[in-house]
Amino acid sequence: VDTVGRAAIVPSNDLDMDEIGLPEAQAWETYTPFVVRRLVRQGVAGPRAADLVERRDPAARKALVDEMDERPVTAVRAPTLHRYGVMGFRPKLVKGNALKLPPAVYKGFGADNDGDQMNWHVPVSQAEVDDIYERMLPSRNLLAVKNFKVHQLPTNEFAAGIYRATSDKSDRPVRTFATYQDLLKAWKSGKISHSDRVNVLE
């Protein structure tokens, strides 16, 4: 129970197929035993290590990030009806309270964005860690066992989003920018949308 977290899922295009975004507050809870152990192995006394974790000290945060780099998680969406309902991921810290998933893995989980929740589990033993890296990452499960076709693909609203982002159908005139950086600034400030046609001179 101490190494299990639960949160509603949201998509994130910033994540690699094998990555998952853990809400920082819950990541602290599920990784605390491993962070304390890492600090103790670095020479910090046990009570002092626990206090550093409790206070979210920078030294403890570095130990958390280092531990997450080495210790993946398994994500589970109940009910688990087939092997793709449980998959392994390399965790990353994210802000907020939602569990962030790469869109490509939604199909395997049978998930969508209407409030679905998922659990993640932090493995305890090295054998579990090795099993996740060797067998459970999405990139190691690209082909569906039922037909040996690629099934880790964007679907539903993700496919619609890709269509809209790449479509040249727009009622707004073409916007011209001197550089790619100018284009990015306009995008980040909300002056252009994903469906606007643009021309970059440089």
Side-chain angles (χ1 to χ4, degrees):
V1 174
D2 291 340
T3 59
V4 178
R6 182 174 179 84
I9 61 173
V10 297
S12 174
N13 291 320
D14 296 327
L15 297 173
D16 181 83
M17 172 185 280
D18 290 338
E19 293 177 338
I20 192 170
L22 302 186
E24 187 165 344
Q26 292 196 48
W28 277 105
E29 298 298 326
T30 54
Y31 273 89
T32 286
F34 309 104
V35 174
V36 170
R37 182 175 66 179
R38 179 175 285 267
L39 290 171
V40 169
R41 288 177 173 175
Q42 293 173 356
V44 181
R48 170 68 174 164
D51 181 60
L52 291 176
V53 171
E54 184 69 25
R55 292 190 289 107
R56 306 296 191 255
D57 187 86
R61 194 177 195 282
K62 182 181 184 306
L64 171 64
V65 172
D66 290 343
E67 193 64 37
M68 292 175 69
D69 285 342
E70 297 179 10
R71 191 174 298 275
V73 298
T74 55
V76 183
R77 181 173 181 268
T80 306
L81 305 176
H82 52 73
R83 64 183 291 179
Y84 306 112
V86 182
M87 290 203 288
F89 294 91
R90 296 184 175 94
K92 294 179 64 177
L93 290 176
V94 295
K95 301 297 183 183
N97 299 311
L99 180 67
K100 295 190 176 181
L101 287 176
V105 303
Y106 267 63
K107 183 176 181 180
F109 285 117
D112 51 37
N113 297 311
D114 60 1
D116 287 5
Q117 294 190 355
M118 288 177 57
N119 290 352
W120 71 86
H121 302 254
V122 182
V124 175
S125 72
Q126 187 59 44
E128 292 175 278
V129 171
D130 294 342
D131 196 47
I132 292 173
Y133 281 136
E134 292 171 9
R135 296 186 180 94
M136 300 182 68
L137 296 178
S139 62
R140 295 191 176 272
N141 292 276
L142 291 175
L143 303 181
V145 293
K146 65 179 180 179
N147 56 17
F148 296 101
K149 293 182 179 180
V150 176
H151 71 121
Q152 304 284 15
L153 296 169
T155 57
N156 303 336
E157 59 263 45
F158 308 116
I162 292 171
Y163 167 77
R164 290 196 61 188
T166 57
S167 173
D168 60 358
K169 297 177 182 178
S170 175
D171 295 332
R172 300 175 67 173
V174 177
R175 297 283 304 275
T176 300
F177 297 91
T179 67
Y180 183 69
Q181 294 302 320
D182 292 338
L183 170 64
L184 286 179
K185 288 179 183 178
W187 167 260
K188 291 178 180 179
S189 65
K191 294 179 180 177
I192 59 174
S193 72
H194 63 274
S195 59
D196 286 346
R197 293 173 295 166
V198 297
N199 181 32
V200 181
L201 298 178
E202 184 179 296

